[in-house]
Amino acid sequence: EDFKIERINFTNEGLNEGLNEGLNEGLDNQDLELLKLIQTGRYPRITQLSSKMKIPAKTLERRIADLKQRELIRYEGSKRTGAYVVILDRLSTEC
């Protein structure tokens, strides 16, 4: 199954509503913050995300693994230059 991947601004009211509903469906505040940071594209490395969120890298790796397993994010590109991206179609169905 193909997933459409889009980069959009998280100020979008409809998306925020979906994310807020997702909090009641298993996404906590750190998951929401992580999704927002991934969406910005400014923090491509786990070490950068970990520093920004002020949580240990191992904890962040577990959160990322969970979001990947739930197909809410995926890694695109090469190991060296790639980054995680939010899969918005899955996010809206999850929420």
Side-chain angles (χ1 to χ4, degrees), residues 14-29:
L15 181 57
N16 278 336
E17 288 175 16
L19 288 172
N20 289 333
E21 290 172 17
L23 291 174
N24 297 326
E25 298 294 326
L27 292 178
D28 66 16
N29 287 335

Side-chain angles (χ1 to χ4, degrees), residues 58-70:
K58 290 291 183 185
T59 300
L60 184 60
E61 288 172 0
R62 285 190 297 272
R63 288 188 171 276
I64 286 175
D66 179 58
L67 294 174
K68 283 174 58 178
Q69 189 269 330
R70 293 167 67 178

Side-chain angles (χ1 to χ4, degrees), residues 38-76:
I38 289 171
Q39 186 66 28
T40 68
R42 289 184 263 170
Y43 306 95
R45 303 278 175 251
I46 287 180
T47 54
Q48 293 170 321
L49 287 166
S50 172
S51 176
K52 179 69 176 173
M53 293 180 68
K54 297 180 179 23
I55 61 174
K58 290 291 183 185
T59 300
L60 184 60
E61 288 172 0
R62 285 190 297 272
R63 288 188 171 276
I64 286 175
D66 179 58
L67 294 174
K68 283 174 58 178
Q69 189 269 330
R70 293 167 67 178
E71 297 179 343
L72 297 176
I73 62 172
R74 73 175 176 195
Y75 195 84
E76 282 192 343

